[in-house]
Amino acid sequence: MARIVMKFGGTSVGDTNRIKNVARRVKAEAEAGNEVAVVVSAMSGTTNQLVAWTNEIARLHDAREYDVVVASGEQVTVGLLALALQDLGINARSWLGWQIPFRTDGIHGKARIGEIDTTIMRQRLAEGQIAVVAGFQGIGPDNRITTLGRGGSDTSAVALAAALDADRCDIYTDVDGVYTTDPRITAKARKIDRITYEEMLELASQGAKVLQTRSVAMAMQHGVRVQVLSSFEDKPGTLVVDEGEIVEQQVVTGIAYSPDEAKVTLVGVPDRPGVAGTIFGSLADSAVNVDMIVQNVSQDGKSTDLTFTVGATDLDRAHQVLDGLKGEIGYSDIVSDPGVCKISVVGVGMRSQPGVAKTMFQTLAEKGINIQVISTSEIKVSVLISSDYTELAVRALHTAYGLDADGDG
Ligand code: ADP
Ligand code: ASP
Ligand code: MG
């Protein structure tokens, strides 16, 4: 007997027939003799609608009320799935985040999970009851509802699996695994059988939304065995594993893209100590996440240009912060461009293999694509390009690194 956490995303619970399909899958796992906790997302489209409503009511809103609204989608699906299971003769009950509880910090809208008290749930599981748990939501130190950031049900599932010492955490979604790149971008994307935690973490943080970044970090930290698989087809998915479990190492394992970026250039920034600290310190204080940064050597020793990227949704706030610093710092202009996309190639094999960046730059040059900013880590090379070329770039790189599926794919 094993203890399993199964997580179903928005498309998998997108209507009542699909919820019945999920119930049948859950029933099969339970009837195989396992203890099962199921984590579900809201029906696909629901959370987007809820977010849109909060924005229509008030552009700058109270994040605590935002959480009350956007957490509601998952309340519907846990109830419906519990009903569907009961209809199949299975003992099941729903759990909202606060009922377990999933304790989080107080950063509404992107809260982090702290402690999960599983005492009662463990008893119920041992009695053969299936737990149907609302993903994406928790309860903050002020006893108010929190949410974990978009895609956060993956993190709910992994956190629950860690807290329950589960044998497996199966993430059921609308693709049958993790691919070499988003299968929506190229039909030549290939399913990966095993991927390391580190590579999955980089791919997720660079835009591959098949798993929320934090869920991968948490799985890595707690050694949770995660599998990504289809909720519609019965076939093996992708296992996220330790590096030692990978037999054949690729130099580049996958390619991610992130269209939600904006580029900001501060022109004529005085070249003196402390300026970068002031700029990036102020942006951080206003919760603006800065990603890539380039600063030129100043020619005259007096001033230079500073270019960096922020999340597209943070661009307005970044402008506000920088406008406020103009007097103190004395730069000459701000130029921003939301029409950019970050493309990243990821692979643990590049630690020992030179030439990965060269292939990337040459391939993009052959397609006439200009590189605006470059950044690297030990297992990743990222470039910022015009978003007009996103698909062209991903497809060309996919071919260049030998990732294309052969023949009929
Ligand atoms: P869910 O609602 O089940 O959480 P998501 O939409 O959050 O599903 O994530 C699944 C989607 O992630 C897929 O439909 C696919 O378009 C996208 N995706 C992006 N990159 C990848 C990748 N490398 N492998 C698989 N899917 C990817
Ligand atoms: N329903 C939430 C969202 O759409 C959480 C999730 O799907 O993981 O972001
Ligand atoms: Mg998701």
Side-chain angles (χ1 to χ4, degrees):
M1 191 187 80
R3 189 178 292 153
I4 302 171
V5 173
M6 304 170 82
K7 179 260 171 177
F8 293 88
T11 314
S12 313
V13 294
D15 59 36
T16 48
N17 277 328
R18 288 187 171 175
I19 292 176
K20 288 181 186 175
N21 168 53
V22 167
R24 285 190 290 272
R25 283 194 169 261
V26 173
K27 183 180 181 203
E29 286 289 11
E31 286 184 342
N34 300 310
E35 288 184 4
V36 184
V38 195
V39 174
V40 289
S41 298
M43 290 183 181
S44 55
T46 299
T47 311
N48 286 347
Q49 176 66 78
L50 296 168
V51 170
W53 281 339
T54 60
N55 286 329
E56 280 168 32
I57 292 282
R59 187 95 201 104
L60 285 174
H61 41 243
D62 180 343
R64 293 164 299 187
E65 302 304 347
Y66 165 93
D67 276 350
V68 171
V69 177
V70 302
S72 65
E74 274 73 10
Q75 176 156 348
V76 175
T77 46
V78 274
L80 290 174
L81 181 57
L83 288 174
L85 284 163
Q86 289 169 4
D87 200 47
L88 296 176
I90 299 277
N91 178 11
R93 75 152 278 188
S94 64
W95 297 85
L96 296 177
W98 64 269
Q99 292 172 317
I100 298 170
F102 267 76
R103 286 277 163 205
T104 71
D105 64 15
I107 314 293
H108 285 272
K110 41 182 154 179
R112 279 176 181 274
I113 298 176
E115 225 173 278
I116 306 175
D117 185 350
T118 55
T119 321
I120 302 173
M121 190 179 289
R122 279 170 188 265
Q123 283 166 14
R124 300 289 186 86
L125 291 174
E127 289 161 19
Q129 186 178 65
I130 288 181
V132 185
V133 178
F136 185 49
Q137 52 174 261
I139 180 165
D142 54 358
N143 276 352
R144 299 190 64 170
I145 306 288
T146 51
T147 62
L148 310 178
R150 298 306 306 272
S153 299
D154 298 327
T155 304
S156 308
V158 173
L160 186 62
L164 285 172
D165 300 307
D167 299 279
R168 272 181 10 231
C169 181
D170 291 340
I171 308 277
Y172 289 87
T173 182
D174 56 4
V175 279
D176 59 1
V178 177
Y179 277 68
T180 45
T181 192
D182 188 345
R184 285 176 213 261
I185 284 255
T186 167
K188 291 181 179 161
R190 238 183 322 122
K191 190 165 89 183
I192 303 168
D193 295 331
R194 282 165 183 255
I195 187 165
T196 65
Y197 288 111
E198 259 186 303
E199 288 168 323
M200 194 60 240
L201 190 62
E202 282 281 15
L203 284 175
S205 70
Q206 300 307 319
K209 66 169 187 160
V210 61
L211 287 175
Q212 199 198 31
T213 307
R214 249 183 227 169
S215 71
V216 187
M218 195 173 279
M220 190 164 157
Q221 192 184 343
H222 296 279
V224 175
R225 276 192 92 75
V226 171
Q227 185 180 189
V228 178
L229 67 175
S230 165
S231 61
F232 304 112
E233 289 171 279
D234 256 319
K235 54 176 166 180
T238 300
L239 275 176
V240 188
V241 297
D242 284 322
E243 207 171 323
E245 291 182 60
I246 306 255
V247 188
E248 215 182 321
Q249 200 59 260
Q250 304 287 329
V251 178
V252 169
T253 304
I255 302 174
Y257 65 98
S258 170
D260 309 318
E261 311 275 326
K263 185 179 72 166
V264 180
T265 301
L266 282 179
V267 184
V269 180
D271 191 18
R272 56 164 198 265
V275 169
T278 306
I279 293 170
F280 295 115
S282 304
L283 288 167
D285 290 344
S286 301
V288 174
N289 249 330
V290 173
D291 181 18
M292 305 167 108
I293 302 176
V294 276
Q295 181 181 311
N296 284 334
V297 178
S298 82
Q299 291 299 331
D300 56 4
K302 289 188 190 125
S303 73
T304 178
D305 293 350
L306 183 62
T307 297
F308 53 90
T309 60
V310 297
T313 49
D314 284 344
L315 184 57
D316 285 349
R317 206 144 17 106
H319 263 278
Q320 251 175 21
V321 172
L322 297 168
D323 286 345
L325 290 177
K326 187 154 191 190
E328 186 181 339
I329 293 175
Y331 58 84
S332 53
D333 201 6
I334 308 180
V335 186
S336 63
D337 179 5
V340 290
C341 180
K342 184 174 53 166
I343 314 277
S344 307
V345 301
V346 172
V348 290
M350 68 177 77
R351 281 198 202 112
S352 51
Q353 178 99 12
V356 173
K358 181 184 113 189
T359 304
M360 186 172 202
F361 304 154
Q362 281 178 349
T363 306
L364 296 174
E366 277 159 23
K367 297 287 175 192
I369 300 171
N370 187 40
I371 298 172
Q372 304 182 16
V373 184
I374 300 167
S375 75
T376 63
S377 81
E378 213 189 357
I379 64 161
K380 174 206 80 182
V381 184
S382 302
V383 293
L384 195 73
I385 61 169
S386 158
S387 49
D388 295 343
Y389 300 115
T390 304
E391 295 193 3
L392 179 64
V394 171
R395 289 184 188 143
L397 292 169
H398 200 266
T399 305
Y401 288 110
L403 297 174
D404 287 354
D406 14 80
D408 56 9

